Amino acid sequence: MSHGRVLVIDDEYGIRTGIRDILELEGFLVEAVETGREALAAVDSQEFDVILIDFRLPDIDGITLLQAIQSRKLNVATCMITAYANIETAIAATREGIDMFLPKPFSPDDLVGVVNNLFKQRTIREQAERLRLAHEASLLALASEQSQTHSLVESLRDAVMVVNRDGKVALVNCAMTLLLKITETDLLLKPAAEILNQGAFIPLAKALSDRTAEGRSVFDIEIENHQYMVSVTPFYSANHEALGHILTISDISEVRRMAMEKSRFIRTMVHELRSPLGAIKSVLEVLEDRSLGNEVTPYTNLLERAHMRLNGLVELIGALLSLSQIETQGRTGANVSPIPIDPVVQEIAELYREQLKVAEIDLTITVEPNLQGVINVEDLKTILTNLIGNAIKYNRPGGAASLRVNRSGDVIIFEVADTGLGIKAENVPRIFDDFFREKRPETREIIGNGLGLAIVKRLVERYSGQIEATSTEGLGSTFTFSLPSGRSICSAG
């Protein structure tokens, strides 16, 4: 069985063949060459475990040959064999990485002992390199895992803190540092219970210190008027050994607000549905009881009122469906092509022509030429119908209303103004709320469900626009909203 491969480089025939014979008897595979050129050709064509280099060769010296071999980054042990060994030679060879020296003349036992030692050194180096590579791979994998974990935790909107078995902070994300108002450097490897033992965070410190708790703890805390849900979860090794805790703090203020809004919306909707249904039911009971006699005429007024209530219910249901559809579809705009504004405006104006004439209200329309806006045609019609309809409905006979549309930078600005009843200053911030209607003697007989402006606001925001209102009680109101602009018709080519 071969013990390994050896390359012998010596210009003396008797020495190189003698070395070959001795080593082959010991079980080594040996190749013997005379020159440095032959040696380099050999190492480039096959692998060797040990190389024996004569210091003086006919074409190159041993140090230069050693440098050439070392430059190839081979996993090989080397030995300098020379009859001219001196301190200078030893220093030079050592600097180039020579492993051993074998002075001439040497005995067969000396030769075999040196080669065996060289094989051992090579084996040790090979194992060390294998361990080094494995260690580096492990470190790289660990670093990669830690980097991925940190990136994942950092990307979370919730505040996260990982506490090790010693109760010290092992990992935090930016959201947690902002919440605690402490830098990551001042948090890492610090006792978590001490850091959290302050103000609103005290319950977290207690949860961490509770050695009897085995499962997840969930509770709420309030920080600067924001509601947060806290989760303290222990984590374990494969052997069920406790390794620490993961703390998560989630801002649930908006969820709570939406829950309260939903509750308020449902209560208001029930009221809005119950009132007209109750009125209609009363009319039907009067008809059923024949309270006004058997003639139809006395009931005509009641039937007209019931019909009006039914129309109001139909409009309310339609508005509720519109709100639901807008909420379901969410924000849009990226997949909507720009539309010309003027044709839509003129269509809405024509729709209200008769109503304006009956109400004796003068509507002025000014639209900058060639405007395009990024919005669905039907959504724009809905917005303008609500705003112009209100400008007529809440106006006075002989009053005026106006619609102006112009470009401002990258947006289209719409302004709908009237000289009507106006809105009380304290109610202006509420006019876009669901079901809000201002209760005043002047508005008591005006039919509405309080959802028109809520729909308008949602539609405008759906296209990344903004809407605002200004009003003076008794003088009128102005509603201004923006939409993303499209290319003008004249420049579309």
Side-chain angles (χ1 to χ4, degrees):
M1 179 180 294
S2 173
H3 293 169
R5 298 182 63 85
V6 180
L7 175 63
V8 180
I9 310 163
D10 199 300
D11 62 335
E12 295 183 41
Y13 175 79
I15 293 179
R16 67 173 180 269
T17 56
I19 294 174
R20 182 183 61 193
D21 293 342
I22 294 170
L23 295 179
E24 285 180 347
L25 288 174
E26 294 294 323
F28 297 104
L29 294 176
V30 182
E31 180 167 345
V33 297
E34 182 179 0
T35 66
R37 186 180 299 107
E38 293 174 325
L40 292 177
V43 298
D44 287 337
S45 62
Q46 53 189 306
E47 293 184 2
F48 294 96
D49 301 301
V50 172
I51 299 178
L52 304 179
I53 305 171
D54 187 15
F55 180 70
R56 289 192 174 180
L57 296 171
D59 59 346
I60 190 173
D61 66 86
I63 299 296
T64 303
L65 178 58
L66 177 62
Q67 291 173 338
I69 292 173
Q70 298 286 40
S71 68
R72 285 162 167 73
K73 307 295 182 183
L74 304 174
N75 182 22
V76 62
T78 56
C79 175
M80 189 73 69
I81 51 177
T82 177
Y84 306 97
N86 54 50
I87 189 63
E88 290 79 10
T89 302
I91 293 174
T94 302
R95 285 175 176 172
E96 297 302 328
I98 199 73
D99 294 303
M100 296 189 73
F101 283 90
L102 182 60
K104 294 179 181 177
F106 48 81
S107 67
D109 290 339
D110 291 336
L111 173 64
V112 172
V114 165
V115 171
N116 282 329
N117 283 332
L118 289 171
F119 267 97
K120 290 179 183 179
Q121 289 187 28
R122 181 187 179 282
T123 301
I124 292 172
R125 272 207 306 266
E126 189 176 49
Q127 291 176 347
E129 179 66 11
R130 189 161 52 243
L131 289 173
R132 184 187 68 80
L133 292 174
H135 182 61
E136 285 185 359
S138 176
L139 289 176
L140 286 172
L142 179 60
S144 175
E145 181 180 346
Q146 288 178 336
S147 177
Q148 293 174 11
T149 302
H150 191 275
S151 297
L152 176 63
V153 172
E154 193 63 45
S155 67
L156 296 175
R157 293 179 59 186
D158 296 338
V160 177
M161 175 186 289
V162 179
V163 180
N164 63 23
R165 72 177 75 194
D166 298 323
K168 295 182 179 180
V169 179
L171 178 66
V172 291
N173 66 350
C174 182
M176 180 64 80
T177 63
L178 292 175
L179 197 60
L180 293 172
K181 298 179 180 178
I182 304 175
T183 65
E184 182 178 1
T185 303
D186 292 334
L187 285 172
L188 292 178
L189 300 181
K190 302 297 192 303
E194 293 182 10
I195 292 172
L196 297 171
N197 194 27
Q198 56 177 317
F201 300 101
I202 292 177
L204 281 76
K206 291 182 178 178
L208 284 175
S209 302
D210 186 2
R211 301 302 180 186
T212 62
E214 296 183 357
R216 179 186 181 209
S217 300
V218 180
F219 50 89
D220 292 352
I221 61 174
E222 182 176 337
I223 305 172
E224 298 178 355
N225 297 322
H226 280 253
Q227 296 293 323
Y228 293 87
M229 182 181 72
V230 177
S231 169
V232 181
T233 307
F235 60 96
Y236 303 89
S237 67
N239 299 325
H240 301 288
E241 180 184 3
L243 298 179
H245 292 80
I246 300 175
L247 279 66
T248 306
I249 306 178
S250 309
D251 191 341
I252 58 172
S253 303
E254 185 64 16
V255 176
R256 288 279 177 86
R257 187 193 67 78
M258 291 179 64
M260 294 176 65
E261 286 292 319
K262 180 180 179 181
S263 177
R264 184 188 66 82
F265 181 88
I266 292 174
R267 289 197 305 270
T268 306
M269 185 177 68
V270 169
H271 172 75
E272 293 292 329
L273 292 172
R274 179 182 292 170
S275 180
L277 286 174
I280 295 170
K281 184 174 182 291
S282 298
V283 171
L284 293 176
E285 288 175 350
V286 170
L287 287 169
E288 185 180 23
D289 295 341
R290 302 291 194 273
S291 302
L292 302 179
N294 293 323
E295 294 293 328
V296 176
T297 304
Y299 298 99
T300 302
N301 187 46
L302 290 176
L303 289 172
E304 289 178 352
R305 288 166 57 187
H307 188 261
M308 188 180 300
R309 290 285 192 168
L310 281 172
N311 285 339
L313 277 176
V314 171
E315 289 182 5
L316 175 60
I317 292 171
L320 289 171
L321 288 174
S322 296
L323 277 177
S324 175
Q325 184 180 25
I326 293 169
E327 294 290 349
T328 301
Q329 291 177 344
R331 189 174 296 278
T332 187
N335 58 343
V336 178
S337 300
I339 62 168
I341 300 298
D342 188 64
V344 180
V345 170
Q346 297 305 325
E347 182 180 342
I348 301 301
E350 181 63 24
L351 178 68
Y352 282 106
R353 185 176 64 172
E354 290 300 320
Q355 189 174 339
L356 287 163
K357 185 176 180 180
V358 171
E360 300 177 356
I361 295 173
D362 180 34
L363 175 63
T364 303
I365 296 177
T366 306
V367 181
E368 185 178 317
N370 304 321
L371 289 184
Q372 288 186 324
V374 180
I375 187 172
N376 178 275
V377 172
E378 295 304 319
D379 287 343
L380 181 56
K381 288 180 180 179
T382 299
I383 294 171
L384 294 177
T385 298
N386 275 285
L387 293 180
I388 294 177
N390 284 349
I392 299 171
K393 185 163 53 175
Y394 292 95
N395 218 317
R396 294 187 175 89
S402 64
L403 168 61
R404 296 182 178 86
V405 190
N406 62 278
R407 185 196 305 274
S408 177
D410 294 330
V411 297
I412 305 297
I413 304 297
F414 296 76
E415 181 185 275
V416 179
D418 65 68
T419 60
L421 303 177
I423 307 165
K424 291 183 177 180
E426 63 269 23
N427 289 329
V428 172
R430 301 177 57 198
I431 59 175
F432 295 109
D433 292 348
D434 299 340
F435 296 111
F436 177 77
R437 295 192 67 206
E438 192 173 43
K439 296 180 180 180
R440 290 161 51 187
E442 303 94 321
T443 63
R444 184 174 298 136
E445 300 301 322
I446 299 176
I447 299 174
N449 52 46
L451 290 177
L453 290 178
I455 291 174
V456 166
K457 186 174 189 292
R458 282 173 170 80
L459 284 175
V460 170
E461 291 178 345
R462 186 180 177 207
Y463 294 92
S464 302
Q466 294 180 333
I467 185 168
E468 61 179 17
T470 58
S471 184
T472 302
E473 184 179 0
L475 297 179
S477 304
T478 299
F479 291 83
T480 306
F481 69 93
S482 63
L483 290 174
S485 67
R487 294 183 301 168
S488 65
I489 295 174
C490 63
S491 65

